[in-house]
Amino acid sequence: MNEDLAVVVLAGGEGRRMGGGKPLRVLDGATLLEHALARARGWSRSVAIAVREAGQAGDVDARLILDHPAIGGPAAGLASAFAFAREQGASRLLTVPCDAPRLPADLPIRLAAALTGDVGCAVAASLGRLHPTCALWRVEMAQRLPAYLEQRASLRGFAEACGMAVVDWDAGPEDDPFANVNTPEDLAALEAGHRAS
């Protein structure tokens, strides 16, 4: 377990395509948020959930941090996550989404291996797609965020501005560890895959 790592689960989205309440949707007897927390707690003791409002997390037993109200999208969660990481004395911050319950166990290790030299963050990728919510950030990059947000609020854009390294996972459509749940159909497909495995 990495003592110099803070992990924040990003759970502040509205989940409109899911019909709302995405973090609390159930897969295999646990909510998507509980799946994400279990993985996060295997990586660090410094774990928090970033939400727009406390009700999004239900009665989960975890530290809640509120998204910055003046920032839109996942960048709001990143701003709060950086503040949490600094409070914890961590030099690195791992962000993960609440809606990807099959994240690889070696996520922080492989991302950390790419965080060398002038690289400010390492971002996961699979099947030709970048996953900017699955990223390992140097906490010092927080200093660059306010100026960047004056122009735009793209998580991917900020990662690029930090000198992004991309770490690609070899996966097929049926076993993509970064497959996320955006719709009830996605959840049903993931449940069916779990039952078949």
Side-chain angles (χ1 to χ4, degrees), residues 32-78:
L32 293 175
L33 188 53
E34 288 168 339
H35 283 288
L37 271 175
R39 185 66 91 193
R41 286 172 170 155
W43 295 325
S44 174
R45 290 185 179 87
S46 299
V47 174
I49 304 167
V51 291
R52 281 278 173 192
E53 54 187 48
Q56 289 179 295
D59 61 355
V60 69
D61 180 21
R63 168 83 179 270
L64 297 184
I65 56 176
L66 296 179
D67 288 358
H68 194 294
I71 304 171
L78 179 61

mmCIF file of all heavy atoms in Angstrom, residues 32-78:
data_model
loop_
_atom_site.group_PDB
_atom_site.id
_atom_site.type_symbol
_atom_site.label_atom_id
_atom_site.label_comp_id
_atom_site.label_asym_id
_atom_site.label_seq_id
_atom_site.Cartn_x
_atom_site.Cartn_y
_atom_site.Cartn_z
ATOM 1 N N LEU A 32 -22.119 0.648 -7.366
ATOM 2 C CA LEU A 32 -20.943 0.993 -8.169
ATOM 3 C C LEU A 32 -19.933 1.755 -7.312
ATOM 4 O O LEU A 32 -18.720 1.542 -7.430
ATOM 5 C CB LEU A 32 -21.355 1.834 -9.379
ATOM 6 C CG LEU A 32 -22.195 1.119 -10.436
ATOM 7 C CD1 LEU A 32 -22.631 2.099 -11.522
ATOM 8 C CD2 LEU A 32 -21.442 -0.052 -11.044
ATOM 9 N N LEU A 33 -20.441 2.614 -6.430
ATOM 10 C CA LEU A 33 -19.557 3.375 -5.558
ATOM 11 C C LEU A 33 -18.809 2.466 -4.592
ATOM 12 O O LEU A 33 -17.615 2.639 -4.340
ATOM 13 C CB LEU A 33 -20.367 4.425 -4.791
ATOM 14 C CG LEU A 33 -19.580 5.440 -3.959
ATOM 15 C CD1 LEU A 33 -18.514 6.138 -4.792
ATOM 16 C CD2 LEU A 33 -20.532 6.455 -3.349
ATOM 17 N N GLU A 34 -19.497 1.466 -4.055
ATOM 18 C CA GLU A 34 -18.844 0.514 -3.143
ATOM 19 C C GLU A 34 -17.765 -0.297 -3.856
ATOM 20 O O GLU A 34 -16.703 -0.576 -3.286
ATOM 21 C CB GLU A 34 -19.892 -0.401 -2.505
ATOM 22 C CG GLU A 34 -20.746 0.315 -1.471
ATOM 23 C CD GLU A 34 -21.968 -0.490 -1.041
ATOM 24 O OE1 GLU A 34 -22.388 -1.408 -1.784
ATOM 25 O OE2 GLU A 34 -22.512 -0.177 0.035
ATOM 26 N N HIS A 35 -18.016 -0.663 -5.116
ATOM 27 C CA HIS A 35 -16.992 -1.360 -5.901
ATOM 28 C C HIS A 35 -15.752 -0.478 -6.044
ATOM 29 O O HIS A 35 -14.618 -0.933 -5.867
ATOM 30 C CB HIS A 35 -17.533 -1.728 -7.290
ATOM 31 C CG HIS A 35 -18.439 -2.910 -7.309
ATOM 32 N ND1 HIS A 35 -17.988 -4.207 -7.121
ATOM 33 C CD2 HIS A 35 -19.780 -3.007 -7.511
ATOM 34 C CE1 HIS A 35 -19.011 -5.042 -7.208
ATOM 35 N NE2 HIS A 35 -20.112 -4.340 -7.439
ATOM 36 N N ALA A 36 -15.977 0.797 -6.396
ATOM 37 C CA ALA A 36 -14.859 1.716 -6.588
ATOM 38 C C ALA A 36 -14.087 1.935 -5.291
ATOM 39 O O ALA A 36 -12.846 1.973 -5.279
ATOM 40 C CB ALA A 36 -15.368 3.051 -7.135
ATOM 41 N N LEU A 37 -14.821 2.064 -4.185
ATOM 42 C CA LEU A 37 -14.172 2.272 -2.886
ATOM 43 C C LEU A 37 -13.332 1.072 -2.467
ATOM 44 O O LEU A 37 -12.228 1.228 -1.930
ATOM 45 C CB LEU A 37 -15.222 2.545 -1.814
ATOM 46 C CG LEU A 37 -15.633 3.987 -1.593
ATOM 47 C CD1 LEU A 37 -16.767 4.045 -0.575
ATOM 48 C CD2 LEU A 37 -14.456 4.827 -1.131
ATOM 49 N N ALA A 38 -13.844 -0.115 -2.705
ATOM 50 C CA ALA A 38 -13.099 -1.318 -2.337
ATOM 51 C C ALA A 38 -11.771 -1.366 -3.071
ATOM 52 O O ALA A 38 -10.729 -1.679 -2.485
ATOM 53 C CB ALA A 38 -13.926 -2.564 -2.644
ATOM 54 N N ARG A 39 -11.784 -1.029 -4.355
ATOM 55 C CA ARG A 39 -10.548 -1.013 -5.141
ATOM 56 C C ARG A 39 -9.625 0.079 -4.614
ATOM 57 O O ARG A 39 -8.427 -0.149 -4.399
ATOM 58 C CB ARG A 39 -10.883 -0.793 -6.612
ATOM 59 C CG ARG A 39 -9.692 -0.868 -7.531
ATOM 60 C CD ARG A 39 -9.097 -2.235 -7.582
ATOM 61 N NE ARG A 39 -9.685 -3.027 -8.638
ATOM 62 C CZ ARG A 39 -9.521 -4.335 -8.745
ATOM 63 N NH1 ARG A 39 -8.816 -4.986 -7.844
ATOM 64 N NH2 ARG A 39 -10.066 -5.007 -9.733
ATOM 65 N N ALA A 40 -10.169 1.266 -4.388
ATOM 66 C CA ALA A 40 -9.350 2.394 -3.929
ATOM 67 C C ALA A 40 -8.672 2.092 -2.595
ATOM 68 O O ALA A 40 -7.503 2.432 -2.379
ATOM 69 C CB ALA A 40 -10.213 3.649 -3.816
ATOM 70 N N ARG A 41 -9.405 1.443 -1.685
ATOM 71 C CA ARG A 41 -8.848 1.141 -0.359
ATOM 72 C C ARG A 41 -7.762 0.066 -0.419
ATOM 73 O O ARG A 41 -6.986 -0.080 0.520
ATOM 74 C CB ARG A 41 -9.973 0.737 0.587
ATOM 75 C CG ARG A 41 -10.797 1.948 1.015
ATOM 76 C CD ARG A 41 -12.027 1.569 1.799
ATOM 77 N NE ARG A 41 -12.637 2.760 2.387
ATOM 78 C CZ ARG A 41 -13.913 2.864 2.708
ATOM 79 N NH1 ARG A 41 -14.730 1.830 2.506
ATOM 80 N NH2 ARG A 41 -14.385 3.969 3.232
ATOM 81 N N GLY A 42 -7.705 -0.659 -1.507
ATOM 82 C CA GLY A 42 -6.615 -1.596 -1.698
ATOM 83 C C GLY A 42 -5.332 -0.913 -2.144
ATOM 84 O O GLY A 42 -4.257 -1.514 -2.099
ATOM 85 N N TRP A 43 -5.443 0.323 -2.571
ATOM 86 C CA TRP A 43 -4.286 1.072 -3.061
ATOM 87 C C TRP A 43 -3.741 2.078 -2.058
ATOM 88 O O TRP A 43 -2.575 2.446 -2.118
ATOM 89 C CB TRP A 43 -4.663 1.820 -4.341
ATOM 90 C CG TRP A 43 -4.994 0.938 -5.509
ATOM 91 C CD1 TRP A 43 -4.425 -0.254 -5.826
ATOM 92 C CD2 TRP A 43 -5.984 1.194 -6.517
ATOM 93 N NE1 TRP A 43 -4.990 -0.761 -6.965
ATOM 94 C CE2 TRP A 43 -5.948 0.106 -7.417
ATOM 95 C CE3 TRP A 43 -6.885 2.240 -6.750
ATOM 96 C CZ2 TRP A 43 -6.780 0.026 -8.530
ATOM 97 C CZ3 TRP A 43 -7.710 2.163 -7.857
ATOM 98 C CH2 TRP A 43 -7.661 1.067 -8.731
ATOM 99 N N SER A 44 -4.586 2.584 -1.176
ATOM 100 C CA SER A 44 -4.149 3.647 -0.266
ATOM 101 C C SER A 44 -5.059 3.707 0.956
ATOM 102 O O SER A 44 -6.231 3.315 0.896
ATOM 103 C CB SER A 44 -4.182 5.000 -0.993
ATOM 104 O OG SER A 44 -3.900 6.063 -0.112
ATOM 105 N N ARG A 45 -4.514 4.249 2.052
ATOM 106 C CA ARG A 45 -5.348 4.520 3.226
ATOM 107 C C ARG A 45 -6.016 5.889 3.119
ATOM 108 O O ARG A 45 -6.956 6.178 3.857
ATOM 109 C CB ARG A 45 -4.492 4.460 4.497
ATOM 110 C CG ARG A 45 -4.026 3.060 4.844
ATOM 111 C CD ARG A 45 -3.294 3.027 6.177
ATOM 112 N NE ARG A 45 -2.877 1.672 6.518
ATOM 113 C CZ ARG A 45 -1.739 1.116 6.128
ATOM 114 N NH1 ARG A 45 -0.893 1.820 5.399
ATOM 115 N NH2 ARG A 45 -1.433 -0.116 6.456
ATOM 116 N N SER A 46 -5.495 6.743 2.237
ATOM 117 C CA SER A 46 -6.048 8.089 2.056
ATOM 118 C C SER A 46 -7.020 8.064 0.884
ATOM 119 O O SER A 46 -6.633 8.222 -0.275
ATOM 120 C CB SER A 46 -4.922 9.098 1.786
ATOM 121 O OG SER A 46 -4.031 9.146 2.869
ATOM 122 N N VAL A 47 -8.297 7.842 1.191
ATOM 123 C CA VAL A 47 -9.317 7.672 0.158
ATOM 124 C C VAL A 47 -10.485 8.605 0.446
ATOM 125 O O VAL A 47 -10.901 8.767 1.599
ATOM 126 C CB VAL A 47 -9.816 6.209 0.114
ATOM 127 C CG1 VAL A 47 -10.981 6.047 -0.844
ATOM 128 C CG2 VAL A 47 -8.679 5.272 -0.273
ATOM 129 N N ALA A 48 -11.009 9.216 -0.604
ATOM 130 C CA ALA A 48 -12.181 10.080 -0.466
ATOM 131 C C ALA A 48 -13.056 9.943 -1.709
ATOM 132 O O ALA A 48 -12.626 9.409 -2.741
ATOM 133 C CB ALA A 48 -11.768 11.539 -0.273
ATOM 134 N N ILE A 49 -14.289 10.424 -1.584
ATOM 135 C CA ILE A 49 -15.232 10.444 -2.701
ATOM 136 C C ILE A 49 -15.566 11.898 -2.995
ATOM 137 O O ILE A 49 -15.967 12.644 -2.096
ATOM 138 C CB ILE A 49 -16.538 9.706 -2.347
ATOM 139 C CG1 ILE A 49 -16.249 8.280 -1.893
ATOM 140 C CG2 ILE A 49 -17.492 9.701 -3.534
ATOM 141 C CD1 ILE A 49 -17.451 7.620 -1.230
ATOM 142 N N ALA A 50 -15.415 12.295 -4.266
ATOM 143 C CA ALA A 50 -15.771 13.655 -4.675
ATOM 144 C C ALA A 50 -17.182 13.648 -5.254
ATOM 145 O O ALA A 50 -17.461 12.903 -6.203
ATOM 146 C CB ALA A 50 -14.770 14.175 -5.707
ATOM 147 N N VAL A 51 -18.056 14.465 -4.672
ATOM 148 C CA VAL A 51 -19.455 14.536 -5.103
ATOM 149 C C VAL A 51 -19.887 15.992 -5.199
ATOM 150 O O VAL A 51 -19.286 16.880 -4.584
ATOM 151 C CB VAL A 51 -20.392 13.793 -4.116
ATOM 152 C CG1 VAL A 51 -20.177 12.292 -4.172
ATOM 153 C CG2 VAL A 51 -20.198 14.302 -2.688
ATOM 154 N N ARG A 52 -20.946 16.231 -5.965
ATOM 155 C CA ARG A 52 -21.526 17.585 -6.029
ATOM 156 C C ARG A 52 -22.296 17.886 -4.752
ATOM 157 O O ARG A 52 -22.285 18.996 -4.247
ATOM 158 C CB ARG A 52 -22.470 17.705 -7.227
ATOM 159 C CG ARG A 52 -21.781 17.902 -8.544
ATOM 160 C CD ARG A 52 -21.400 19.347 -8.756
ATOM 161 N NE ARG A 52 -20.589 19.472 -9.971
ATOM 162 C CZ ARG A 52 -19.918 20.558 -10.298
ATOM 163 N NH1 ARG A 52 -19.944 21.622 -9.513
ATOM 164 N NH2 ARG A 52 -19.208 20.594 -11.383
ATOM 165 N N GLU A 53 -23.000 16.856 -4.263
ATOM 166 C CA GLU A 53 -23.753 16.994 -3.013
ATOM 167 C C GLU A 53 -23.722 15.663 -2.285
ATOM 168 O O GLU A 53 -23.644 14.594 -2.913
ATOM 169 C CB GLU A 53 -25.181 17.439 -3.285
ATOM 170 C CG GLU A 53 -25.921 16.568 -4.259
ATOM 171 C CD GLU A 53 -27.278 17.141 -4.623
ATOM 172 O OE1 GLU A 53 -27.354 18.336 -4.943
ATOM 173 O OE2 GLU A 53 -28.254 16.359 -4.579
ATOM 174 N N ALA A 54 -23.783 15.704 -0.976
ATOM 175 C CA ALA A 54 -23.579 14.510 -0.162
ATOM 176 C C ALA A 54 -24.552 13.389 -0.489
ATOM 177 O O ALA A 54 -24.199 12.211 -0.411
ATOM 178 C CB ALA A 54 -23.677 14.872 1.320
ATOM 179 N N GLY A 55 -25.775 13.711 -0.893
ATOM 180 C CA GLY A 55 -26.774 12.697 -1.182
ATOM 181 C C GLY A 55 -26.387 11.747 -2.307
ATOM 182 O O GLY A 55 -26.921 10.636 -2.404
ATOM 183 N N GLN A 56 -25.468 12.164 -3.160
ATOM 184 C CA GLN A 56 -25.057 11.302 -4.274
ATOM 185 C C GLN A 56 -24.367 10.028 -3.792
ATOM 186 O O GLN A 56 -24.314 9.049 -4.521
ATOM 187 C CB GLN A 56 -24.106 12.070 -5.205
ATOM 188 C CG GLN A 56 -24.775 13.156 -6.015
ATOM 189 C CD GLN A 56 -23.783 13.890 -6.897
ATOM 190 O OE1 GLN A 56 -22.883 14.551 -6.415
ATOM 191 N NE2 GLN A 56 -23.954 13.747 -8.194
ATOM 192 N N ALA A 57 -23.810 10.064 -2.585
ATOM 193 C CA ALA A 57 -23.054 8.916 -2.076
ATOM 194 C C ALA A 57 -23.877 8.030 -1.149
ATOM 195 O O ALA A 57 -23.385 7.020 -0.657
ATOM 196 C CB ALA A 57 -21.809 9.404 -1.341
ATOM 197 N N GLY A 58 -25.125 8.383 -0.882
ATOM 198 C CA GLY A 58 -25.934 7.598 0.028
ATOM 199 C C GLY A 58 -25.337 7.610 1.427
ATOM 200 O O GLY A 58 -24.805 8.624 1.880
ATOM 201 N N ASP A 59 -25.390 6.472 2.115
ATOM 202 C CA ASP A 59 -24.865 6.415 3.486
ATOM 203 C C ASP A 59 -23.529 5.678 3.535
ATOM 204 O O ASP A 59 -23.197 5.029 4.526
ATOM 205 C CB ASP A 59 -25.875 5.754 4.425
ATOM 206 C CG ASP A 59 -26.188 4.315 4.032
ATOM 207 O OD1 ASP A 59 -25.690 3.861 2.976
ATOM 208 O OD2 ASP A 59 -26.929 3.646 4.772
ATOM 209 N N VAL A 60 -22.762 5.767 2.465
ATOM 210 C CA VAL A 60 -21.478 5.065 2.390
ATOM 211 C C VAL A 60 -20.523 5.563 3.475
ATOM 212 O O VAL A 60 -20.530 6.738 3.838
ATOM 213 C CB VAL A 60 -20.858 5.237 0.984
ATOM 214 C CG1 VAL A 60 -20.409 6.672 0.742
ATOM 215 C CG2 VAL A 60 -19.700 4.281 0.783
ATOM 216 N N ASP A 61 -19.745 4.651 4.024
ATOM 217 C CA ASP A 61 -18.808 4.969 5.101
ATOM 218 C C ASP A 61 -17.459 5.376 4.492
ATOM 219 O O ASP A 61 -16.566 4.543 4.329
ATOM 220 C CB ASP A 61 -18.636 3.763 6.019
ATOM 221 C CG ASP A 61 -17.679 4.036 7.164
ATOM 222 O OD1 ASP A 61 -17.467 5.223 7.487
ATOM 223 O OD2 ASP A 61 -17.121 3.078 7.723
ATOM 224 N N ALA A 62 -17.352 6.643 4.129
ATOM 225 C CA ALA A 62 -16.119 7.146 3.509
ATOM 226 C C ALA A 62 -16.092 8.661 3.612
ATOM 227 O O ALA A 62 -17.130 9.309 3.791
ATOM 228 C CB ALA A 62 -16.042 6.713 2.051
ATOM 229 N N ARG A 63 -14.925 9.219 3.510
ATOM 230 C CA ARG A 63 -14.756 10.667 3.527
ATOM 231 C C ARG A 63 -15.349 11.257 2.253
ATOM 232 O O ARG A 63 -15.041 10.814 1.141
ATOM 233 C CB ARG A 63 -13.249 10.983 3.609
ATOM 234 C CG ARG A 63 -12.869 12.437 3.347
ATOM 235 C CD ARG A 63 -13.021 13.304 4.571
ATOM 236 N NE ARG A 63 -12.624 14.668 4.275
ATOM 237 C CZ ARG A 63 -11.386 15.145 4.407
ATOM 238 N NH1 ARG A 63 -10.418 14.367 4.838
ATOM 239 N NH2 ARG A 63 -11.117 16.407 4.124
ATOM 240 N N LEU A 64 -16.213 12.236 2.387
ATOM 241 C CA LEU A 64 -16.787 12.930 1.235
ATOM 242 C C LEU A 64 -16.146 14.295 1.085
ATOM 243 O O LEU A 64 -15.950 15.015 2.075
ATOM 244 C CB LEU A 64 -18.303 13.101 1.405
ATOM 245 C CG LEU A 64 -19.161 11.845 1.490
ATOM 246 C CD1 LEU A 64 -20.635 12.231 1.568
ATOM 247 C CD2 LEU A 64 -18.908 10.921 0.319
ATOM 248 N N ILE A 65 -15.804 14.646 -0.140
ATOM 249 C CA ILE A 65 -15.336 15.997 -0.436
ATOM 250 C C ILE A 65 -16.238 16.547 -1.538
ATOM 251 O O ILE A 65 -16.678 15.798 -2.417
ATOM 252 C CB ILE A 65 -13.849 16.021 -0.863
ATOM 253 C CG1 ILE A 65 -13.585 15.100 -2.051
ATOM 254 C CG2 ILE A 65 -12.953 15.634 0.304
ATOM 255 C CD1 ILE A 65 -12.157 15.142 -2.574
ATOM 256 N N LEU A 66 -16.553 17.815 -1.459
ATOM 257 C CA LEU A 66 -17.497 18.408 -2.401
ATOM 258 C C LEU A 66 -16.778 19.015 -3.595
ATOM 259 O O LEU A 66 -15.752 19.691 -3.438
ATOM 260 C CB LEU A 66 -18.343 19.469 -1.709
ATOM 261 C CG LEU A 66 -19.263 18.966 -0.596
ATOM 262 C CD1 LEU A 66 -20.036 20.131 0.013
ATOM 263 C CD2 LEU A 66 -20.224 17.900 -1.120
ATOM 264 N N ASP A 67 -17.322 18.743 -4.789
ATOM 265 C CA ASP A 67 -16.792 19.349 -6.007
ATOM 266 C C ASP A 67 -16.805 20.869 -5.877
ATOM 267 O O ASP A 67 -17.717 21.441 -5.261
ATOM 268 C CB ASP A 67 -17.660 18.964 -7.211
ATOM 269 C CG ASP A 67 -17.487 17.514 -7.625
ATOM 270 O OD1 ASP A 67 -16.670 16.802 -7.010
ATOM 271 O OD2 ASP A 67 -18.165 17.107 -8.580
ATOM 272 N N HIS A 68 -15.819 21.497 -6.491
ATOM 273 C CA HIS A 68 -15.768 22.958 -6.475
ATOM 274 C C HIS A 68 -17.002 23.495 -7.200
ATOM 275 O O HIS A 68 -17.220 23.181 -8.375
ATOM 276 C CB HIS A 68 -14.492 23.440 -7.161
ATOM 277 C CG HIS A 68 -14.181 24.869 -6.903
ATOM 278 N ND1 HIS A 68 -14.979 25.892 -7.365
ATOM 279 C CD2 HIS A 68 -13.174 25.461 -6.222
ATOM 280 C CE1 HIS A 68 -14.469 27.050 -6.989
ATOM 281 N NE2 HIS A 68 -13.380 26.816 -6.289
ATOM 282 N N PRO A 69 -17.840 24.312 -6.549
ATOM 283 C CA PRO A 69 -19.116 24.717 -7.145
ATOM 284 C C PRO A 69 -18.990 25.588 -8.391
ATOM 285 O O PRO A 69 -19.916 25.651 -9.200
ATOM 286 C CB PRO A 69 -19.815 25.484 -6.007
ATOM 287 C CG PRO A 69 -18.706 25.931 -5.108
ATOM 288 C CD PRO A 69 -17.659 24.865 -5.191
ATOM 289 N N ALA A 70 -17.863 26.263 -8.564
ATOM 290 C CA ALA A 70 -17.710 27.165 -9.701
ATOM 291 C C ALA A 70 -17.125 26.478 -10.933
ATOM 292 O O ALA A 70 -16.913 27.122 -11.958
ATOM 293 C CB ALA A 70 -16.824 28.351 -9.305
ATOM 294 N N ILE A 71 -16.858 25.190 -10.835
ATOM 295 C CA ILE A 71 -16.225 24.452 -11.932
ATOM 296 C C ILE A 71 -17.185 23.380 -12.417
ATOM 297 O O ILE A 71 -17.861 22.728 -11.624
ATOM 298 C CB ILE A 71 -14.902 23.807 -11.469
ATOM 299 C CG1 ILE A 71 -13.963 24.869 -10.895
ATOM 300 C CG2 ILE A 71 -14.222 23.073 -12.616
ATOM 301 C CD1 ILE A 71 -12.725 24.295 -10.226
ATOM 302 N N GLY A 72 -17.237 23.179 -13.721
ATOM 303 C CA GLY A 72 -18.110 22.155 -14.283
ATOM 304 C C GLY A 72 -17.376 20.865 -14.574
ATOM 305 O O GLY A 72 -16.158 20.845 -14.736
ATOM 306 N N GLY A 73 -18.140 19.770 -14.642
ATOM 307 C CA GLY A 73 -17.602 18.485 -15.060
ATOM 308 C C GLY A 73 -16.603 17.876 -14.100
ATOM 309 O O GLY A 73 -16.468 18.301 -12.942
ATOM 310 N N PRO A 74 -15.858 16.869 -14.572
ATOM 311 C CA PRO A 74 -14.906 16.166 -13.712
ATOM 312 C C PRO A 74 -13.785 17.054 -13.182
ATOM 313 O O PRO A 74 -13.178 16.731 -12.160
ATOM 314 C CB PRO A 74 -14.337 15.069 -14.629
ATOM 315 C CG PRO A 74 -15.359 14.883 -15.695
ATOM 316 C CD PRO A 74 -15.983 16.232 -15.899
ATOM 317 N N ALA A 75 -13.507 18.163 -13.854
ATOM 318 C CA ALA A 75 -12.461 19.071 -13.372
ATOM 319 C C ALA A 75 -12.807 19.615 -11.986
ATOM 320 O O ALA A 75 -11.918 19.932 -11.193
ATOM 321 C CB ALA A 75 -12.243 20.221 -14.352
ATOM 322 N N ALA A 76 -14.104 19.709 -11.679
ATOM 323 C CA ALA A 76 -14.514 20.163 -10.351
ATOM 324 C C ALA A 76 -14.074 19.171 -9.292
ATOM 325 O O ALA A 76 -13.609 19.541 -8.212
ATOM 326 C CB ALA A 76 -16.027 20.341 -10.307
ATOM 327 N N GLY A 77 -14.231 17.888 -9.603
ATOM 328 C CA GLY A 77 -13.780 16.850 -8.686
ATOM 329 C C GLY A 77 -12.271 16.834 -8.552
ATOM 330 O O GLY A 77 -11.740 16.592 -7.459
ATOM 331 N N LEU A 78 -11.567 17.093 -9.664
ATOM 332 C CA LEU A 78 -10.108 17.112 -9.608
ATOM 333 C C LEU A 78 -9.613 18.233 -8.697
ATOM 334 O O LEU A 78 -8.680 18.036 -7.913
ATOM 335 C CB LEU A 78 -9.521 17.274 -11.014
ATOM 336 C CG LEU A 78 -7.998 17.322 -11.080
ATOM 337 C CD1 LEU A 78 -7.371 16.035 -10.545
ATOM 338 C CD2 LEU A 78 -7.540 17.595 -12.512
#
